[in-house]
Amino acid sequence: MYKKQLLTLFVALLSTLGTSAQTLLADFEDQTTGQLKINKDYTGSLFSVKPRVMENPLKAGINVSNYCVGAVNKADADWYKNFLILDLQTPVTIDDDHRVLTMLAYRDRQPKEMRIGFNTYEESGQIFQGRLTKDATWERLSFDLGETHYGQVLKTIYIILSCNWSDPRSGWDEATYCFDDFTLGAGEALPNASVVVHPSAICQTMQDFGASDCWTADFVGRYFDDTQKQQAARWLFSQETDADGQPLGIGLSCWRVNLGAGSAAQGSASNIDDETRRADCFLRDDGSYDWTRQQGQQWFMQQARQYGVDHFLLFSNSAPVSFTKNGKANANNQNIACNLKDDCYDDFAEFLATTTQHFADEGYNITYVDPVNEPRFDWKNGQEGSPWENTNISRLARELDKSISKRQLKTKILIPEASSWDLLYGGSGRAANQIEAFFNPNNTSTYVGDLPSMAKVVAGHSYWTFSNNADLQNVREAVYAAAGKYSLEVMQTEWSMLDAAPATSAGFPASYEAASKMDIALYMGKLIHCDLTIAGATAWSYWTAMAQEKYSQKNRFYLIRINAKGDTGNESYGDIKQGGTLTADKNLWVLGQYSRFVRPGYRRIAIDGASEMNGLLGSAFIAPDGQQLVCVFVNMSRAVRRIDLSTEDGVIGRVSKYVTDSNNDLHRDANPQDLSALELSPRSVTTFVMDISGLSSITAPVSLNPAADQAVYDLFGRRLTSPKHGIYIRDGKKYVVR
């Protein structure tokens, strides 16, 4: 009873303080089910231990209580009636004060996904389907029932312990499933987080944050009035503030520019139905160049340069149509391995190098040129694009290196912009296992890692690897390890919310339909965090800067929404050649929580106490001169989260706070900030910019070797997801893993 009494007092205390307290439904500590009742509508033969109150099988981590509710499921049990059904003694209407359902969950093994349902086991009531992050570990699950069931009455919580429509369907042993501390309220009652930053523990040096101009920047630059397009440029590139200190823009430090292949001149014969996905080309048919083309794109390039954008990345989706095998800028509905004529590798390389030199001579800092983009795809239609084999890519890279070297350009070649992280270290078939192909000297036919103009960087895209917490962690760990083997930097150069909706187990609503624009932007904030802290990315770019909102896709594919003339206000199907208006969206401001404050040359440093995949995520960065500290926190929970922030080295002075949530857009909080009580609003991304002084040292990153992972494991007795090499602090002492 003691735990229950304390929890009741704590909830009551939170209520008096005006926080988003939870109402306790059951904690099972007195061996009763409290406000819940175990419904007996299940098939007992499916269980070796039927659903009941039982002893906690793991009194550790976030749950050290003595009792919980659970069952032991028989091997290969069928899903039907494989239920833990908990009826509410008093049904509750879902409203603002009773909308967030929170529970602790434990599964000693997870051969199948489980489903949690609102009043039913059917998919129509599903609020969760998936596995937990780890086996045999208590985890907190939280669901905002108000998103899909507002005004409805919650009578029963259904839990299908193992859904055998998810693999594997057989071949597993008995499994124990337990649940504890069911609460329902306005938000989670979470403890303050104790967060420590380690300024001397350097992880990686940041290059930039950016976005792509594909494809609509050319149309906006040509057809929208000056007021609209200048506002778009200000939102994207400005580092200025207004008189009250509010940021005017997100200060991108990289602008990714598409070098068109000439499909625009082909019109409807291009095999690209959407006119906005066709692109012009600087190369004329006679081999001369017309630098007046792509005027809209060049307008945004000029604006980016004037606002002080540090880096420009030129990339190609297809070779100019005069160089392609089929005379098109895509595969033209055919299965081909590479759409470049065998005798045009040097011609294509000369086009890329000539274009790079032109813009360098115009005063643009062209840091990278990327000759291929997402080579894995077939690119049969719909836009400019070309499939490539690894052998084709390496051949083109060698030719491009010659063209760049003879011009004595500083620009580096960037490859391979893989369409998903996993293709960098694995896979089979075309354009797979690309780190080994291009950077392992033993692969003599494809090795290009020794080319003078080749960047010691591997670029990939975060598509298709973000649907759950396991992929967010495991895939990026594999990228980090594969790149570290050859001392390569990692850059994430393109992402938007393609693929199916992320799992509810990763903190996303039940569907895209149920998600708000802030939910989508918040998940992007989480993804950026994982790419930076787990994959070790030194750069991160979004796709694409501006787009129309179609097919109820909300803000999944843009930072700035294009509202073309004739638009109904709900969807954007108008002709953007008629102009229109532009709207800043939540994605823009969440990206700005990183890009506006984490500038090129800042170094990511270690941080402890903010690594909850569905709760509090934090990353920290130190300025090159060691005088400014930037911390970015993603609060995935639906409650206010408070942080007690300290630093292992140095003294923190003035603190500025900027927040993006459902009510704020990169908003500067003018109130004084107390390091012992920094506050994060629910479902938000918050950046703290701090003066710091008195650092004893700023240490350069150390290189990875094959023993580093094991060395870190031996040192700490556990695997550290990030960083896996660098300087570590334990018991007040510094350890260097090389």
Side-chain angles (χ1 to χ4, degrees):
M1 290 293 291
Y2 183 62
K3 173 190 167 188
K4 185 173 183 180
Q5 290 170 347
L6 282 179
L7 183 57
T8 302
L9 287 172
F10 179 61
V11 169
L13 176 61
L14 287 176
S15 297
T16 65
L17 295 176
T19 61
S20 51
Q22 293 282 96
T23 299
L24 179 66
L25 298 179
D27 68 359
F28 312 104
E29 204 60 6
D30 60 359
Q31 300 186 54
T32 73
T33 57
Q35 298 302 310
L36 302 176
K37 180 177 67 175
I38 298 175
N39 189 304
K40 304 299 183 182
D41 185 22
Y42 56 78
T43 301
S45 62
L46 298 179
F47 302 99
S48 55
V49 176
K50 298 178 181 180
R52 63 177 178 81
V53 176
M54 60 171 57
E55 288 193 15
N56 182 350
L58 179 71
K59 299 175 185 178
I62 62 174
N63 190 13
V64 295
S65 66
N66 293 313
Y67 295 97
C68 58
V69 66
V72 179
N73 205 195
K74 286 188 176 180
D76 301 336
D78 183 63
W79 77 270
Y80 186 65
K81 296 299 179 74
N82 170 13
F83 302 157
L84 171 60
I85 310 171
L86 300 170
D87 293 328
L88 274 70
Q89 302 276 17
T90 304
V92 177
T93 300
I94 304 304
D95 56 21
D96 289 339
D97 294 324
H98 306 90
R99 62 180 296 160
V100 178
L101 175 67
T102 302
M103 67 186 75
L104 303 181
Y106 167 95
R107 307 174 88 198
D108 73 332
R109 68 195 68 199
Q110 301 179 80
K112 306 174 184 180
E113 295 177 336
M114 66 176 175
R115 172 185 287 173
I116 301 174
F118 184 102
N119 291 343
T120 178
Y121 56 79
E122 299 286 358
E123 188 173 1
S124 59
Q126 176 179 304
I127 58 175
F128 173 93
Q129 181 172 321
R131 295 176 171 87
L132 300 180
T133 304
K134 297 178 181 178
D135 292 346
T137 303
W138 280 103
E139 296 182 20
R140 178 183 285 104
L141 300 179
S142 182
F143 316 105
D144 188 354
L145 304 181
E147 292 179 337
T148 52
H149 297 88
Y150 198 90
Q152 298 180 29
V153 178
L154 176 63
K155 302 176 181 178
T156 303
I157 302 168
Y158 272 85
I159 305 177
I160 303 176
L161 299 175
S162 286
C163 310
N164 71 353
W165 56 80
S166 62
D167 291 332
R169 299 183 181 220
S170 61
W172 53 279
D173 205 347
E174 287 189 335
T176 299
Y177 306 125
C178 297
F179 304 88
D180 204 352
D181 292 350
F182 287 79
T183 62
L184 183 65
E188 297 177 75
L190 297 174
N192 287 10
S194 178
V195 176
V196 182
V197 295
H198 302 284
S200 60
I202 305 296
C203 305
Q204 78 251 33
T205 299
M206 300 305 300
Q207 289 205 35
D208 50 53
F209 289 87
S212 166
D213 70 356
C214 254
W215 296 270
T216 50
D218 194 49
F219 290 82
V220 173
R222 283 192 287 161
Y223 298 116
F224 281 58
D225 65 40
D226 286 345
T227 299
Q228 291 298 315
K229 62 187 184 183
Q230 286 173 4
Q231 177 63 84
R234 187 178 304 112
W235 282 330
L236 291 167
F237 307 129
S238 176
Q239 300 177 54
E240 300 168 341
T241 61
D242 65 15
D244 296 323
Q246 302 297 336
L248 297 178
I250 68 169
L252 293 180
S253 46
C254 179
W255 190 235
R256 190 166 172 257
V257 180
N258 175 40
L259 300 181
S263 59
Q266 296 177 325
S268 59
S270 64
N271 193 37
I272 301 172
D273 293 334
D274 186 345
E275 183 178 2
T276 66
R277 296 195 177 191
R278 303 171 194 158
D280 214 335
C281 185
F282 294 121
L283 185 66
R284 296 190 181 100
D285 292 339
D286 63 3
S288 62
Y289 287 82
D290 182 354
W291 301 115
T292 66
R293 294 177 177 178
Q294 298 182 221
Q295 290 181 4
Q297 289 176 263
Q298 292 198 60
W299 187 89
F300 274 98
M301 289 182 71
Q302 292 163 5
Q303 291 292 306
R305 182 180 59 187
Q306 291 173 15
Y307 274 109
V309 170
D310 304 79
H311 303 147
F312 290 84
L313 191 163
L314 306 181
F315 75 102
S316 171
N317 286 314
S318 167
V321 293
S322 58
F323 299 155
T324 62
K325 292 177 180 178
N326 58 16
K328 305 290 185 185
N330 57 42
N332 200 28
N333 300 314
Q334 301 298 309
N335 291 314
I336 59 176
C338 174
N339 193 25
L340 179 65
K341 294 176 183 177
D342 290 339
D343 61 351
C344 286
Y345 281 79
D346 56 346
D347 296 314
F348 185 24
E350 280 292 289
F351 164 76
L352 294 169
T354 299
T355 305
T356 299
Q357 181 171 13
H358 167 77
F359 285 110
D361 291 344
E362 291 287 311
Y364 294 94
N365 182 25
I366 309 298
T367 51
Y368 297 104
V369 58
D370 159 39
V372 302
N373 180 59
E374 299 188 339
R376 175 72 164 205
F377 291 143
D378 292 332
W379 298 119
K380 291 185 176 182
N381 52 46
Q383 69 177 72
E384 292 190 349
S386 175
W388 296 85
E389 301 276 3
N390 286 342
T391 53
N392 306 131
I393 297 171
S394 59
R395 180 181 173 187
L396 177 59
R398 295 186 188 103
E399 292 295 334
L400 181 54
D401 177 69
K402 295 176 187 177
S403 296
I404 287 176
S405 296
K406 74 180 182 181
R407 289 171 171 79
Q408 298 183 327
L409 295 171
K410 295 180 181 179
T411 302
K412 296 295 184 181
I413 302 168
L414 183 70
I415 58 173
E417 298 224 59
S419 55
S420 58
W421 284 129
D422 54 314
L423 293 173
L424 292 176
Y425 61 82
S428 59
R430 183 176 66 234
N433 202 18
Q434 293 189 299
I435 289 176
E436 287 292 321
F438 301 131
F439 296 102
N440 184 342
N442 295 325
N443 292 323
T444 55
S445 63
T446 55
Y447 176 64
V448 291
D450 59 346
L451 297 178
S453 300
M454 180 60 63
K456 300 303 185 284
V457 175
V458 61
H461 299 167
S462 261
Y463 298 123
W464 320 114
T465 59
F466 62 87
S467 63
N468 56 66
N469 287 339
D471 282 351
L472 284 171
Q473 180 166 314
N474 297 336
V475 170
R476 285 152 185 80
E477 283 186 345
V479 170
Y480 181 89
K485 184 177 179 181
Y486 300 106
S487 300
L488 301 171
E489 286 187 36
V490 175
M491 292 175 59
Q492 196 293 126
T493 49
E494 186 179 307
W495 180 83
S496 63
M497 206 165 235
L498 286 172
D499 206 357
T504 52
S505 60
F508 199 76
S511 65
Y512 281 130
E513 290 74 19
S516 68
K517 289 188 174 183
M518 186 60 213
D519 289 325
I520 291 168
L522 180 71
Y523 201 85
M524 180 186 72
K526 175 178 178 176
L527 178 91
I528 295 173
H529 170 89
C530 293
D531 284 342
L532 300 186
T533 66
I534 301 177
T538 61
W540 201 95
S541 283
Y542 187 82
W543 172 277
T544 180
M546 295 172 281
Q548 292 173 276
E549 183 178 318
K550 297 182 178 181
Y551 316 120
S552 300
Q553 292 170 334
K554 299 179 180 175
N555 57 336
R556 289 167 54 193
F557 305 115
Y558 61 78
L559 301 176
I560 296 173
R561 173 176 169 164
I562 298 174
N563 311 289
K565 286 186 177 179
D567 179 53
T568 64
N570 295 320
E571 303 286 355
S572 283
Y573 295 102
D575 181 2
I576 65 174
K577 290 187 297 181
Q578 302 300 315
T581 61
L582 302 168
T583 307
D585 197 86
K586 290 296 182 183
N587 285 340
L588 178 82
W589 305 118
V590 165
L591 178 56
Q593 297 287 153
Y594 291 92
S595 62
R596 179 64 179 76
F597 308 106
V598 183
R599 307 305 302 170
Y602 276 52
R603 286 169 283 187
R604 187 174 72 82
I605 60 177
I607 183 171
D608 295 327
S611 58
E612 306 165 5
M613 289 294 280
N614 286 355
L616 177 65
L617 296 168
S619 52
F621 309 84
I622 197 81
D625 63 5
Q627 295 184 29
Q628 188 175 82
L629 173 67
V630 175
C631 293
V632 186
F633 292 100
V634 181
N635 180 17
M636 295 295 294
S637 74
R638 304 184 193 279
V640 171
R641 196 71 188 267
R642 292 178 177 83
I643 295 173
D644 181 354
L645 181 69
S646 61
T647 177
E648 170 262 344
D649 192 12
V651 177
I652 295 177
R654 183 182 58 181
V655 180
S656 298
K657 175 183 177 182
Y658 302 84
V659 60
T660 298
D661 57 18
S662 59
N663 299 314
N664 297 284
D665 296 327
L666 197 58
H667 176 75
R668 177 178 175 270
D669 186 342
N671 295 316
Q673 301 297 313
D674 180 355
L675 287 174
S676 65
L678 298 176
E679 187 171 286
L680 312 178
S681 57
R683 306 285 284 176
S684 66
V685 183
T686 303
T687 303
F688 295 100
V689 180
M690 294 164 269
D691 295 338
I692 189 168
S693 61
L695 294 178
S696 59
S697 65
I698 297 292
T699 308
V702 294
S703 60
L704 178 71
N705 67 39
D709 277 350
Q710 186 61 45
V712 175
Y713 186 90
D714 292 342
L715 178 62
F716 287 87
R718 60 186 175 92
R719 177 173 293 278
L720 292 183
T721 58
S722 178
K724 290 193 185 117
H725 68 288
I727 302 170
Y728 296 86
I729 286 79
R730 182 186 182 192
D731 300 330
K733 297 180 181 179
K734 295 181 181 179
Y735 297 81
V736 178
V737 179
R738 297 184 184 275

